[in-house]
Amino acid sequence: MATSEPAEAGAAGPAETAGPAEPAETAGPAEPAEAADSTAAADAAPAAPSEAGPADAGEPAAGVVVSRSNGPFDLSEKASEAGYIDLGALRIGAAEGLQLRLEVEEKTKRVIAVTLDLNGSNLQLQAFAAPRTDGLWDEIRSQIGTSVGSQGGTVQDRVGAFGTELVAKLPAQTPEGQPGYRVARFVGVDGPRWFLRGVIGGPAAINREAAAPIEELFRNVVVVRGDHPLPPRELLQLRLPKETATAAPAEPAQQAPDLTDPLKRGPEITHIG
């Protein structure tokens, strides 16, 4: 379980660092993997079957890739820092009302993920080293599906704005104690020697209109891979924004997160019936 140091980011760039956020809830054991956690917690929301991704009809379309011409970007494609929050391996486009939460691994004291909170939804981001030729997303989607199934949940591949994405659902209780399920959307993009994973929670996981601003945040991300050699799936190094680097350190995570443990932090809970 990870706690984090939030910081507000306005349209012109990062603002002052705020206090620690409340810890998110967990949902089942993690499986061993190289790195990475999942979505941030969100409030319960009523079901919206006509807009819910998991209810969409149609055959799964595994392996569909969409052009990155409109993002996410490699540093070589968008080198300017103007309007971006510099987190080391990731540059995040500033937006009005955007909140950043950085998560730190207790053992190594390194920042392992950044979660973006906007309009009640959230997007967790992590970037990894990848092979020069083969991508990672197809393999990682399969592993996520296995992890969800082991926790009694279901997954569905579908084509989204960034190619094939994964919608995961796990049984859960709403805050009122009613039966429901948690929903998370996993999006992944293979870039030049890097892989970017995003996990969408909150209303944006089930509502297309709510998803638009979150998807725009993901689209505007710039990945800074660096030239040094790294093994595939090695987490690219994140850090505090330069403007807040002298602030008090973020509270550490209790354990290293897992690339394939998709619903550990409890995304959107939707009531059944």
Side-chain angles (χ1 to χ4, degrees):
M1 180 174 66
T3 54
S4 51
E5 177 176 323
E8 183 172 355
E16 297 180 359
T17 303
E22 296 182 0
E25 59 188 12
T26 61
E31 297 179 0
E34 289 80 353
D37 191 16
S38 183
T39 60
D43 295 331
S50 62
E51 299 183 2
D56 286 351
E59 293 294 326
V64 173
V65 177
V66 174
S67 169
R68 286 193 307 103
S69 59
N70 293 320
F73 302 98
D74 183 73
L75 180 63
S76 63
E77 299 161 340
K78 185 172 278 195
S80 174
E81 297 183 24
Y84 277 87
I85 304 161
D86 187 353
L87 301 178
L90 295 176
R91 293 180 183 175
I92 309 299
E96 189 68 33
L98 177 64
Q99 297 276 335
L100 303 183
R101 292 186 286 114
L102 303 174
E103 299 177 23
V104 176
E105 183 183 10
E106 181 178 26
K107 183 177 180 180
T108 64
K109 308 302 181 185
R110 65 175 180 167
V111 180
I112 55 175
V114 56
T115 298
L116 314 181
D117 294 316
L118 183 66
N119 301 334
S121 295
N122 49 73
L123 168 66
Q124 189 198 64
L125 295 170
Q126 290 169 308
F128 303 86
R132 197 176 289 272
T133 53
D134 298 328
L136 296 177
W137 184 218
D138 287 344
E139 180 183 357
I140 288 172
R141 277 202 327 278
S142 176
Q143 293 172 349
I144 292 171
T146 299
S147 177
V148 173
S150 72
Q151 299 177 57
T154 62
V155 296
Q156 178 189 21
D157 278 350
R158 72 176 189 185
V159 178
F162 305 100
T164 301
E165 62 181 51
L166 193 71
V167 179
K169 297 167 62 176
L170 263 182
Q173 281 191 338
T174 68
E176 294 77 21
Q178 299 298 315
Y181 52 85
R182 286 180 289 182
V183 182
R185 284 177 57 199
F186 287 79
V187 293
V189 171
D190 290 302
R193 299 174 60 231
W194 52 258
F195 167 70
L196 177 66
R197 192 191 74 166
V199 192
I200 299 172
I206 60 174
N207 184 290
R208 291 188 180 94
E209 183 176 350
I214 293 293
E215 291 177 353
E216 189 66 14
L217 288 175
F218 187 77
R219 190 184 309 281
N220 287 330
V221 169
V222 176
V223 179
V224 184
R225 165 63 174 82
D227 297 326
H228 48 289
L230 290 170
R233 297 189 179 219
E234 179 76 13
L235 185 67
L236 300 185
Q237 185 63 56
L238 296 170
R239 58 169 170 74
L240 289 171
K242 293 177 182 178
E243 290 80 359
T244 59
T246 58
E251 295 186 16
Q254 291 186 358
Q255 61 183 20
D258 180 357
L259 185 65
T260 63
D261 185 20
L263 297 176
K264 187 177 177 183
R265 300 213 32 220
E268 182 78 2
I269 301 178
T270 301
H271 177 62
I272 298 176

